[in-house]
Amino acid sequence: MDSPEAENKDSPGTGLSPNTSVQSTARKESPGRSSMWPLPSISVTRHPAGKLSPQTDERCFSYCSQTTRGRTEGREPTCRSVCFRRVFAHEVRTAIAHDEALKGKTPQKDYGYPLPPEGQPNPDSLSSSSPKSDDIRYWEEGWYLWTSRSRWAAQERLDLMMWDLDRQAHWQQKKDQVQKEWDDYWAQHQRQAEEQIYGTHTTKGASNSIQLEGTPYPVDGQMLPKQEDRYPWQDSTLIKLPPPITPLLEPIRDLLSPSFKVLTTVQRSFESGAHAELAARMWEKARTPDPFILASTVCRKMWEKWKEGPPDSDTTSDI
């Protein structure tokens, strides 16, 4: 049996080990891989647009505080909430297309989803018979600022962050319908209660002397009495950013209009050369003895009056 040394000696070549071919192959392949390693890699990622976009369209900040006495008496905490909402173009275009398909009308500026009651100049216009009234404001592309002092409104706002404008509009319609049903039920309940107590029908517009406590919304299918006359949206505001500055500039423009007219007149007089002519005439007049004569005459008259003293009472009464 031959030893490994004998085999190495019998093998052709320069006497290298059998693993030499493998090592040489590795040396040949390694330069290729190492040469590709220093090259930088660039990856381009395009996020989807429209409804599937990962862009943030609303941020909300809320702050609530409570006092010891308020906690003891069970009062509502003092809350402040601020939200910044960005409405993208696809949301408004979807609303306009939806209106065109259902109504069959030409697109107008204010077509789309109406703003909630806190963003309307007249909240009662939402329940009017004409759905496209000029008093109704609609969502537009851009930024909106929402503020509130009600914790109930803040909680509802957080829930609405899960919905688009379409579902928010349906939610507002549902609330309006429930509120209308409750108002009708409450009015009928008031009339029946007063008829039982006084035995007479109340006239329209008469003051209601019966006031109960409860919630204005149905709970488990049952209408409960009112809790308060102020709704959460009445403590909230919704405005578009930037706010319109035209109404603010009109009073200032009216106040400064006389000053603008005076400045315009002075500018025209300078351009016509009237001020230069007046200055030249004053300079020529100042070089004559007439100003000094006028000044000396005034001083002499004043000195004479001072020497005469104050006038007599009889003379003053006669005058």
Side-chain angles (χ1 to χ4, degrees), residues 212-255:
L212 303 179
E213 296 180 357
T215 173
Y217 297 104
V219 179
D220 297 334
Q222 297 181 358
M223 286 289 191
L224 300 180
K226 277 188 175 181
Q227 181 180 13
E228 56 183 7
D229 295 334
R230 190 169 183 85
Y231 302 108
W233 61 265
Q234 293 178 332
D235 293 330
S236 307
T237 55
L238 178 65
I239 58 175
K240 194 176 187 303
L241 298 178
I245 60 176
T246 303
L248 300 179
L249 295 179
E250 287 297 334
I252 300 176
R253 188 179 293 108
D254 296 340
L255 178 63

Side-chain angles (χ1 to χ4, degrees), residues 23 37 43 58 103-104 106 141 149 157 256 267 306:
Q23 294 176 0
W37 181 259
S43 60
E58 187 171 5
K103 305 297 181 181
T106 57
E141 182 183 0
R149 297 179 299 173
R157 190 68 189 179
L256 299 179
Q267 180 182 1
W306 183 76

